[in-house]
Amino acid sequence: MNRPLVVSGDVILTEALVRLCAAVGISPDVVDDSTRSLAAWAGASVVLVGPDLVGQMAAVAPTRRSGVYVVSAAPLPDHAFRDAVTLGVEGVAELPQSEEWVLELLADATEMKEPDGITLGVLAGSGGAGATILAGALAVEAAAHGHTALLDLDLWGPGADTVLGVESAEGVRWSTIGQTTGRISARSFRDALPHHDGPGVLTWAPGPRRMPPAFAVREVMAAATRGHDTVVVDLPRHTDPVVDEVVARCTHLLLVVRADLTGITAGLRQVQRLRELGPVQVAVRGPESRVGEVEKIIGMPVLTTVPEQRGLVEAIELGLGPVRSHRSGLARSARAVLAALTGGAQRRAA
């Protein structure tokens, strides 16, 4: 893990920041010269710049990067704000009022996920394709290998919490997130998600649903990808600016196509739309005998088939989730998708 970088010659400020780093179990690189800071700039997990050197940092114009903040021990003068904008910082914090915020920022830096983590968007080509059920199975299987979140954005779907049997579990819902502002801590977000010894799930509370505001979705996506190895997003079939932005943030898209003529035709239209937004793969809900027909009409290879599973509805109604056995056809399909998207890196321990 790369260490935080503190750029300041202010002894009082640097001592305070070193103390905050120690509180989350990390040790920063402390540099009191703007030019020498460039060596550690790009590789640092997060960069904290003091107001005494923010002007010099702006002048040397390091490569733009995310995760740069100005932290001060006193109110910032106006010129420091101008320099911060020039430097491209993401935020400004004043100690001691913002100590908790800085602690969460540093805690996130200790848990930066590996670059091979994935954000997988799953959506149906047409109604009845079972995209939410497959998304749930993918999240369950991925959770066997690392921190996993399932984000439900399908307003008209069955509810990811219902599919996984966590609808009564304590935790945050979209309504809670939509009322917050500012940066969401990855660790706090992960700990707050409802779960039962499996993936964390973010969906709506009982009652009327509405699409969360764009700022909340952006913060959730950022916190989820920082704090989890795998993020599965249950996407709606409809399109709007918020949905399109989420699709664009996914590293992979999986379209679930019903293996009948209407399902395949609807899937073709979705593929044509999704190809403009990101890389898309196809899963077929139905028998393997229909794969050739699907590939011919859609014009791309099928990643996996999702067989009908006996007892699936009963298992979900009993709160057992879609994967009662890791030897089931649904579980095998989910593992095939994850293996293909991670280059076979995910393997269940013997």
Side-chain angles (χ1 to χ4, degrees), residues 218-241:
R218 292 187 190 107
E219 284 301 319
V220 162
M221 291 290 290
T225 53
R226 290 197 308 270
H228 296 83
D229 302 289
T230 303
V231 178
V232 181
V233 187
D234 185 17
L235 292 165
R237 296 199 308 278
H238 77 269
T239 178
D240 65 27

Side-chain angles (χ1 to χ4, degrees), residues 48-62:
L48 307 178
V49 183
D52 58 316
L53 291 183
V54 66
Q56 294 182 33
M57 291 302 303
V60 299

